[in-house]
Amino acid sequence: MESGNTVYTKQQRIAELARIHPDLSFTSLAHNIDLVWLYEAFGRTRKDGATGVDALTAEEYEQELNMNLRSLLERAKSGKYHAPPVLRAHIPKDPAKKETRPIGIPTFEDKVLQRAVQMVLEPLYEQDFLGCSYGFRTGRSAHDALQSLWTQMMDVGGCWIIDLDIRKFFDTMVHEHIREILKRRVSDGVITRLIGKWLKAGVWEAGNISYPEKGTPQGGVISPMLSNIYLHEVLDMWFEKDVKSRLRGKAFLIRYADDAVLGFAFEEDARRVMEVLPKRFARYGLTIHPEKTRVVRFVKPDNIDSGGHSQDKDSTFNFLGFTHYWAKSRKGTAVIKRSTEKNRFARALMKMKEWCKVNRHNPVQEQHKTLNQKLRGHYAYYGIIGNSRMVGSFHHKVRRLWRKWLQRRSCDGSIPWDNFALLEKVYPLVSLSVVRSAYLRKATA
C-alpha cells in the first residue's frame, strides 16, 4: 500500500486549483478517493469512540480492513452506499440546570467515509475561508482565536462588542441552503450525493427513528466542515464584504464554529449591525438568541478598583470558556484580562466530583495518575496569563474533592488532613507552576 504522501500530494493539487480558480465549481473531486485515500481516512478516524447503531467497533472493522474498505469504496462511487441513521446520545451541558446537549454517533464505517470526504473538501475550502474563523481548521485553535481577539481589542483600545449567540445552530441549518452554498464550489455528483445522504440519514433514539428536515447532527465528522461552509457564507463573507465598508470605524470578527464575537470602534456601528443581524440570519433559517445576543460596552474604563478590576460589572463578556474584562496591569495601566468562565469552572468541577465518586475504590496510585492527567488537560486550556487565581482555585477544590471521596471509602469514615498531607507527599496532585506566555504552560508535580 502506498504511503500517506500520495494523499498529501493530491490535497496540495486540490488546494492549488482552488487557489487559482476562486470562482470555479469543481466537477471532478471524487476520483481522488481511492483505496489509499480510504486507508488514510481510516488512520485518521478515532478508534476509541462510541459505536453507532450497528454496534460495530473499530477493532472488529479492522479485522477485514482491506475487504471492508474495498466494499466501501465501490458502494460510495457507484451510489449504492446507504447512510445509516445516527445514534442519538445526550451529553451534559450545564450541571447546575441538568441540561444536556444531543449529539449524533455515526457507525464506524460512516465515520471513515465522512473523513474521506472531509479530506477532499478541506484543502479546497481552506483557500476560501477567511482569517477570522478558527474552529475545526487544521493549524488553528481556540487559543489562536482568543489571542487574535485580545490583540484586536487592545489595538482598538477598547471597543463595543456584539456577543453573538445562534440558537440551536447545528439543529436548524437548512438543507436546501447547505446544498446551494456547497454547489458554488462543489458540483461533483459523488460528493454531493454522499452529503445529501448524510443530511437525510435518520436519527435513532430509544428504539425510534426520525428524519429531521433541518440540521446536521453534532458528532459526525462531516458536520464541522458543513457548519464552517455555512457560516462562511452567512456571516464571514457578509461581514467582510458588505458590512465593514459601510461602517464609520474599525471593526473585526472572530468566529470559532458557531461562537462569534464582533468588535466595533464606535457604538453606532455596533447598534446598526445589531439591528440587521437577525434579518441576515433569518434569510438562512437561523435565529439569533434574543437574550444571549447583546451589545457590550467594552471600552477602556475610567476607574479601576483597588482589586484591579473594572467597576463596571456589565462590561464583560464570555467567549470560548473565558470571561473577558478590564483590569489594572502591574504597571498600573488598563489591560484586558481573561478568567475561567464561572459555568465552565462549575462544569469541570462537577465532572471531577463525579469521577472521584465513581472511582473512589480504585487503587490510590491509579486515581492519582488519572487525576493528574485531567488536571494537566485543564491547565493546558485555562492556564494562561492572568488566570492563575482561577486555575489555583480549581486545583484546591479538586484536592478537597479527592480527600472527601477517599474518606468515604475508609473504615472509620475519616482521613485527617495531616494523614492526607502525608499521602500527597507520595501522590502529589500536579499544579500549574509556570506560565511563560499566554499559551505556553508548564505543569509539574
Side-chain angles (χ1 to χ4, degrees):
M1 187 61 60
E2 301 175 59
S3 69
N5 290 333
T6 303
V7 172
Y8 177 77
T9 301
K10 290 181 177 180
Q11 288 181 317
Q12 289 295 98
R13 179 57 178 165
I14 294 171
E16 181 183 0
L17 290 173
R19 188 165 49 249
I20 295 173
H21 305 287
D23 300 318
L24 177 66
S25 180
F26 286 76
T27 60
S28 181
L29 288 171
H31 72 276
N32 292 287
I33 302 177
D34 53 18
L35 194 58
V36 175
W37 193 280
L38 285 184
Y39 264 96
E40 182 68 18
F42 171 82
R44 297 185 187 185
T45 302
R46 181 179 172 182
K47 309 299 190 299
D48 58 350
T51 58
V53 293
D54 61 359
L56 186 68
T57 66
E59 290 76 14
E60 292 170 337
Y61 191 84
E62 192 173 8
Q63 291 176 4
E64 299 290 343
L65 183 59
N66 188 273
M67 181 183 70
N68 287 334
L69 292 183
R70 287 182 182 277
S71 172
L72 178 61
L73 180 64
E74 190 279 327
R75 285 177 284 135
K77 292 291 185 74
S78 66
K80 297 178 182 178
Y81 182 77
H82 173 69
V86 297
L87 178 64
R88 173 156 289 173
H90 295 268
I91 59 175
K93 181 179 181 181
D94 189 340
K97 299 179 181 178
K98 297 184 178 180
E99 294 180 352
T100 61
R101 176 188 292 112
I103 63 168
I105 306 173
T107 64
F108 182 77
E109 183 175 68
D110 209 36
K111 292 177 184 178
V112 173
L113 187 55
Q114 287 189 30
R115 177 65 67 187
V117 172
Q118 183 267 342
M119 287 162 52
V120 171
L121 297 179
E122 182 180 41
L124 191 164
Y125 277 101
E126 275 300 313
Q127 315 313 308
D128 296 351
F129 290 157
L130 304 182
C132 62
S133 69
Y134 291 86
F136 310 120
R137 295 181 62 185
T138 301
R140 288 177 162 240
S141 68
H143 284 161
D144 294 328
L146 289 164
Q147 181 62 26
S148 179
L149 174 62
W150 184 89
T151 300
Q152 294 192 71
M153 289 192 298
M154 288 297 295
D155 287 345
V156 176
C159 55
W160 291 80
I161 292 289
I162 294 181
D163 185 5
L164 180 62
D165 187 278
I166 308 172
R167 177 179 281 172
K168 296 182 178 180
F169 169 68
F170 284 92
D171 295 331
T172 56
M173 285 193 293
V174 179
H175 294 172
E176 182 180 352
H177 289 314
I178 295 176
R179 295 188 185 94
E180 289 177 357
I181 295 171
L182 190 68
K183 192 176 293 185
R184 296 171 190 173
R185 284 301 257 164
V186 179
S187 50
D188 182 293
V190 173
I191 302 296
T192 56
R193 183 170 59 242
L194 285 172
I195 292 176
K197 289 181 177 182
W198 287 321
L199 292 176
K200 293 179 180 179
V203 175
W204 182 272
E205 184 175 15
N208 298 315
I209 187 169
S210 60
Y211 296 91
E213 297 180 357
K214 293 182 179 181
T216 175
Q218 294 187 65
V221 177
I222 201 66
S223 294
M225 175 60 69
L226 295 179
S227 69
N228 266 342
I229 294 172
Y230 205 78
L231 286 177
H232 171 74
E233 173 71 21
V234 176
L235 181 59
D236 302 356
M237 289 296 292
W238 171 73
F239 186 79
E240 184 66 29
K241 289 190 173 183
D242 298 338
V243 174
K244 290 176 70 173
S245 61
R246 293 179 169 88
L247 301 179
R248 175 186 169 194
K250 290 183 178 180
F252 61 86
L253 164 68
I254 302 293
R255 181 176 65 80
Y256 189 92
D258 59 328
D259 292 329
V261 169
L262 296 80
F264 305 86
F266 294 101
E267 179 183 5
E268 61 185 87
D269 288 339
R271 299 291 180 188
R272 287 173 57 198
V273 174
M274 186 67 173
E275 289 181 5
V276 300
L277 269 175
K279 299 176 184 177
R280 173 65 182 179
F281 277 74
R283 285 182 55 187
Y284 292 87
L286 302 176
T287 305
I288 301 297
H289 199 295
E291 297 175 359
K292 295 182 180 180
T293 300
R294 61 194 181 105
V295 176
V296 180
R297 184 180 182 272
F298 199 73
V299 298
K300 188 178 296 186
D302 296 328
N303 58 335
I304 297 178
D305 63 24
S306 58
H309 294 74
S310 168
Q311 293 182 357
D312 186 358
K313 300 301 182 183
D314 293 329
S315 294
T316 66
F317 67 94
N318 299 324
F319 184 60
L320 297 181
F322 289 90
T323 297
H324 297 67
Y325 62 95
W326 284 96
K328 186 184 295 184
S329 70
R330 291 182 178 179
K331 296 181 179 179
T333 59
V335 66
I336 298 170
K337 291 190 176 183
R338 284 110 5 135
S339 65
T340 309
E341 185 182 339
K342 290 182 179 180
N343 287 344
R344 294 289 188 95
F345 186 94
R347 192 185 310 170
L349 201 61
M350 180 66 74
K351 289 181 179 179
M352 296 295 265
K353 174 186 174 182
E354 291 301 317
W355 188 92
C356 288
K357 178 181 177 181
V358 171
N359 296 276
R360 65 185 182 273
H361 294 295
N362 292 352
V364 173
Q365 184 177 5
E366 293 181 9
Q367 291 186 50
H368 169 256
K369 180 179 179 181
T370 303
L371 279 173
N372 276 344
Q373 290 174 343
K374 292 179 179 293
L375 284 170
R376 286 191 180 94
H378 186 86
Y379 302 154
Y381 190 78
Y382 291 104
I384 66 174
I385 285 179
N387 196 33
S388 58
R389 184 181 64 85
M390 293 295 285
V391 171
S393 177
F394 188 78
H395 175 273
H396 174 70
K397 291 181 182 297
V398 169
R399 180 172 174 260
R400 294 182 69 91
L401 283 172
W402 192 30
R403 176 183 180 269
K404 172 184 175 180
W405 290 106
L406 285 178
Q407 181 181 22
R408 296 292 177 89
R409 77 174 195 169
S410 65
C411 296
D412 59 0
S414 64
I415 296 181
W417 272 110
D418 53 353
N419 289 355
F420 185 71
L422 290 174
L423 182 145
E424 280 192 308
K425 289 184 178 181
V426 181
Y427 300 110
L429 290 182
V430 66
S431 61
L432 186 70
S433 60
V434 178
V435 180
R436 291 175 291 180
S437 70
Y439 305 114
L440 293 177
R441 296 157 299 278
K442 180 181 178 182
T444 59

